[in-house]
Amino acid sequence: MIMRLRQPLSALLLAVLLPASGCTSLTDEERQWLTDRVRQQLVFVEGGTFRMGDVGHTDAEGYVSYFTGDSDTHPVHEVTLDSFSIQKYETTYAEFDLYSKAMGEEVIAANRRHLKHRQPEYAAWGMTWHQARGYCQWLGSLLDLPMDLPTEAQWEYAARSRGLAVAHATDNGDIEYGRNYRDPRIIDHEMPPGSWPPNPLGLYDMTGNVSEWVLDWYAPYTPDPKTNPTGPAEGYEKVT
């Protein structure tokens, strides 16, 4: 389900923004591998206008049934976005560990349940919002491109393949266990990115696997149309 979740941020995490001591340079091979990999994974998303929020499903008689019923996914409101590009796979440990190395930081740790799947090809899990944003901006500096976390609007627009009225960001908008989504009766853990079919836009794991941080502070929706929204200027929780 495409759901709007929020995570609290502790003031202690602001320490992540300070310059790291003991920064380490990547080898030429590591830098080339990462930049080539990211360039190949960028998917162009043509901008447009869509209805953001829980648009629900309208039946033949005009009755609307909502996907989640969550109050903070309403009111549905019109959003217009410029074109952008987004990475089609979730970031792996192999990729994120190079950022940790370059910053001279300890590698991120998964919790006990995830620990046995902390393998290079698995989706990275456990970074703070500041680390996630720092990684994006650091990648941008390596690629000489303006890179950042996607805004909530960009993430939803991309997950819903430019605003389609779907509940799930799968290949057909539905969950089919074992075909386009992991079957929890068989697999009780995350999988390497790209294990299941992409959405129509060519993006993987926008529903399922691990959650993704976005740029915005959390705030209730308003009905006002918006262009390239980035969320409120301050707050206490970030959106995933």
Side-chain angles (χ1 to χ4, degrees):
M1 185 78 67
I2 301 174
M3 300 181 69
R4 190 179 191 217
L5 305 177
R6 40 189 170 150
Q7 298 287 339
L9 286 186
S10 165
L12 295 176
L13 299 183
L14 295 176
V16 178
L17 292 176
L18 298 177
S21 59
C23 294
T24 305
S25 297
L26 301 183
T27 66
D28 291 342
E29 291 77 12
E30 289 171 332
R31 184 188 301 267
Q32 193 67 51
W33 175 82
L34 181 60
T35 54
D36 287 349
R37 186 177 173 92
V38 172
R39 282 194 183 95
Q40 293 166 4
Q41 291 183 12
L42 290 177
V43 173
F44 177 75
V45 182
E46 184 179 354
T49 298
F50 78 114
R51 298 172 67 227
M52 183 174 176
D54 188 353
V55 296
H57 170 72
T58 305
D59 64 19
E61 298 178 356
Y63 177 78
V64 179
S65 57
Y66 293 106
F67 294 130
T68 71
D70 293 344
S71 60
D72 65 355
T73 62
H74 297 277
V76 173
H77 53 290
E78 186 176 281
V79 169
T80 299
L81 295 174
D82 293 337
S83 299
F84 59 96
S85 293
I86 191 168
Q87 194 170 339
K88 66 180 177 180
Y89 296 117
E90 293 170 321
T91 298
T92 64
Y93 284 112
E95 295 163 340
F96 200 88
D97 285 350
L98 290 181
Y99 168 70
S100 300
K101 175 184 176 181
M103 294 297 104
E105 297 178 357
E106 295 291 329
V107 296
I108 55 173
N111 68 14
R112 189 178 300 276
R113 184 175 75 85
H114 293 75
L115 200 54
K116 65 180 179 179
H117 302 293
R118 198 201 186 290
Q119 303 297 327
E121 71 274 16
Y122 277 74
W125 190 93
M127 74 284 289
T128 67
W129 179 88
H130 294 293
Q131 289 173 315
R133 190 181 192 194
Y135 171 76
C136 294
Q137 294 177 332
W138 173 76
L139 272 183
S141 68
L142 294 183
L143 293 166
D144 196 24
L145 292 171
M147 298 184 75
D148 208 333
L149 289 172
T151 65
E152 182 181 1
Q154 288 174 327
W155 186 95
E156 183 173 333
Y157 183 69
R160 288 171 45 202
S161 298
R162 301 187 65 239
L164 298 178
V166 293
H168 306 281
T170 58
D171 57 343
N172 61 3
D174 295 322
I175 294 291
E176 298 178 16
Y177 294 110
R179 190 196 69 80
N180 66 2
Y181 193 87
R182 69 177 175 87
D183 188 335
R185 298 168 300 180
I186 301 173
I187 304 172
D188 65 352
H189 55 81
E190 290 77 17
M191 298 288 288
S195 294
W196 309 109
N199 71 0
L201 201 59
L203 306 177
Y204 295 82
D205 302 307
M206 299 293 272
T207 287
N209 228 27
V210 299
S211 298
E212 292 88 30
W213 286 111
V214 296
L215 186 64
D216 307 42
W217 289 107
Y218 171 83
Y221 288 158
T222 69
D224 304 321
K226 294 179 173 62
T227 299
N228 297 319
T230 57
E234 56 186 16
Y236 297 97
E237 297 173 304
K238 288 289 186 179
V239 180
T240 58

